[in-house]
């Protein structure tokens, strides 16, 4: 049955919206007040319970809203207290944001953004079933360069460098952001953070060339090569308290990168799902797939 709050002649409809108000939201029953439901008057709930748009009732007389009933309790609590009070380890932030967006409760949407920014990634839970796909490749290149001994005195030298390329795809973009914080490129201008391939894509590409001992630093910089480092925030806890920045560690081979990636991903709840070519030699893999459980 449709209840039309816009009808001034329907006294029964107006009388039926007196405190307390009983709601059926997706099968969950809530009892609250009109003052709570109209706290944000420019929201959809405000429009529903000030008579601007019609509402429905179920067969027991409860005002019916066809939305997620479990998430609605957090919305109702927010309207009552104007405070976002979520349990520890709350992992349905994306669903709560979707419901707040549906009801157009703008203060709640803002508080959700502030809450999300304040919670460390490893405490946000993340979406179950999130997947990481990693492809690791390396190629040896022969580099010829002139080593200067003095004015008009040059020596032609040759050395081998190994160039690494990692293509990484992850369905959980927040994890990619964590990797961009953890890994850095070392260049002649200092440390720089990697970036996603595109803001619209969940892909990260890392390319680096460790400097061999026989290649002078100036020749390394001349080739525009860059190294890859990783910082371990936990390591700084035992360092001198005056040291406010993590000490970066150089990644010089494929095994070192895979080891660091595994440490970060396993700490965030991912499990190894597939290793190619040999599962027994995971640090030497060329392809790796992880799934969040």
């Amino acid at each position: 049955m449709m209840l039309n709050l816009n009808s001034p002649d329907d006294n029964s409809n107006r009388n039926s919206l007196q405190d307390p108000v009983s709601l059926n939201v997706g099968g969950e029953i809530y009892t609250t007040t009109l003052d709570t439901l109209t706290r944000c008057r420019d929201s959809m709930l405000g429009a529903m319970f000030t008579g601007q748009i019609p509402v429905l009732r179920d067969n027991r007389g409860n005002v019916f809203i066809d939305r997620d009933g479990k998430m609605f309790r957090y919305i109702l609590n927010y309207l009552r207290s104007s405070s976002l009070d979520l349990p520890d380890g709350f992992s349905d932030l994306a669903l709560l944001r979707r419901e707040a967006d549906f009801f157009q409760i703008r203060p709640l949407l803002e508080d959700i953004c502030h809450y999300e920014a304040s919670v460390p990634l490893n405490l946000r839970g993340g979406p179950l079933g999130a997947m990481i796909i990693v492809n690791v490749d390396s190629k040896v290149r022969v580099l010829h360069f002139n080593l200067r001994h003095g004015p008009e005195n040059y020596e032609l030298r040759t050395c081998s460098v190994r160039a690494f390329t990692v293509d990484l795809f992850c369905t959980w973009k927040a994890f990619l952001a964590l990797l961009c914080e953890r890994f850095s490129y070392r260049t002649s201008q200092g440390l720089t953070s990697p970036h996603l391939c595109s803001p619209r894509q969940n892909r990260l590409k890392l390319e680096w060339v460790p400097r061999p001992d026989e290649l002078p630093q100036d020749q390394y910089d001349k080739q525009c090569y860059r190294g890859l480092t990783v910082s371990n925030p936990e390591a700084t806890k035992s360092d001198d308290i005056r040291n406010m920045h993590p000490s970066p560690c150089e990644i010089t081979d494929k095994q070192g990168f895979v080891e660091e990636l595994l440490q970060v991903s396993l700490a965030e709840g991912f499990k190894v799902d597939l290793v190619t070519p040999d599962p027994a030699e995971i640090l030497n893999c060329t392809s790796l797939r992880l799934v969040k459980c």
Side-chain angles (χ1 to χ4, degrees):
M1 177 177 66
M2 180 72 74
L3 174 64
N4 187 352
L5 299 180
N6 292 320
S7 173
D9 299 327
D10 192 344
N11 292 327
S12 64
N13 283 353
R14 287 191 172 275
N15 292 336
S16 66
L17 280 175
Q18 296 177 351
D19 289 333
V21 179
S22 182
L23 305 173
N24 176 351
V25 185
E28 302 281 340
I29 304 300
Y30 296 96
T31 300
T32 187
T33 65
L34 286 173
D35 181 62
T36 296
L37 293 167
T38 58
R39 184 69 50 84
C40 295
R41 299 184 73 85
D42 60 346
S43 69
M44 183 175 292
L45 287 174
M48 290 171 65
F49 292 95
T50 55
Q52 299 175 55
I53 60 176
V55 296
L56 293 171
R57 288 191 179 275
D58 64 14
N59 55 10
R60 296 195 175 188
N62 304 309
V63 175
F64 179 72
I65 303 176
D66 188 16
R67 297 301 298 179
D68 189 300
K70 292 183 179 180
M71 287 297 104
F72 191 77
R73 72 180 62 185
Y74 300 109
I75 292 176
L76 204 54
N77 287 340
Y78 181 83
L79 293 174
R80 286 169 179 159
S81 64
S82 297
S83 175
L84 184 60
D85 185 17
L86 299 176
D88 293 339
F90 184 78
S91 60
D92 290 322
L93 211 57
L95 183 56
L96 179 59
R97 185 190 301 107
R98 186 184 73 182
E99 294 302 297
D101 183 63
F102 173 81
F103 289 112
Q104 287 298 294
I105 305 175
R106 300 189 186 281
L108 175 55
L109 285 168
E110 294 174 0
D111 283 357
I112 289 174
C113 290
H114 293 318
Y115 175 87
E116 187 173 32
S118 68
V119 178
L121 180 64
N122 60 359
L123 297 181
R124 296 180 200 171
L128 295 180
M131 182 180 296
I132 305 172
I133 299 176
V134 187
N135 292 302
V136 186
D137 187 30
S138 67
K139 289 183 173 63
V140 175
R141 299 172 182 171
V142 177
L143 177 65
H144 303 281
F145 62 95
N146 288 316
L147 183 63
R148 184 180 182 186
H149 295 294
E152 300 183 3
N153 185 3
Y154 293 89
E155 177 187 356
L156 180 62
R157 288 196 175 182
T158 301
C159 74
S160 296
V161 296
R162 184 173 289 273
F164 293 93
T165 302
V166 172
D167 286 299
L168 194 149
F169 169 81
C170 182
T171 57
W172 186 20
K173 186 165 286 188
F175 180 77
L176 292 176
L178 176 64
L179 292 182
C180 290
E181 294 175 4
R182 192 68 59 89
F183 289 98
S184 299
Y185 287 124
R186 187 188 295 278
T187 70
S188 57
Q189 286 77 39
L191 296 179
T192 62
S193 298
H195 300 285
L196 299 184
C197 296
S198 165
R200 295 186 177 182
Q201 293 180 324
N202 289 24
R203 291 180 57 244
L204 177 65
K205 187 171 187 176
L206 299 173
E207 297 177 293
W208 76 99
V209 178
R211 183 177 72 86
D213 293 337
E214 60 270 28
L215 181 62
Q217 184 68 50
D218 62 332
Q219 292 294 328
Y220 180 83
D221 295 338
K222 184 178 180 180
Q223 299 297 324
C224 296
Y225 290 148
R226 56 189 180 183
L228 186 70
T229 67
V230 62
S231 61
N232 183 4
E234 297 298 322
T236 57
K237 295 181 180 179
S238 59
D239 292 343
D240 192 317
I241 193 170
R242 293 169 296 181
N243 181 13
M244 300 302 292
H245 299 285
S247 299
C249 178
E250 202 84 23
I251 303 294
T252 59
D253 53 30
K254 179 170 64 174
Q255 293 89 340
F257 172 80
V258 175
E259 181 179 351
E260 294 294 342
L261 177 65
L262 287 173
Q263 289 184 14
V264 178
S265 57
L266 296 181
E268 298 299 336
F270 285 92
K271 303 297 181 186
V272 176
D273 183 59
L274 179 66
V275 179
T276 304
D278 184 0
E281 294 288 338
I282 187 171
L283 296 183
N284 290 309
C285 70
T286 57
S287 183
L288 180 66
R289 186 172 70 203
L290 303 100
V291 177
K292 186 169 174 58
C293 301

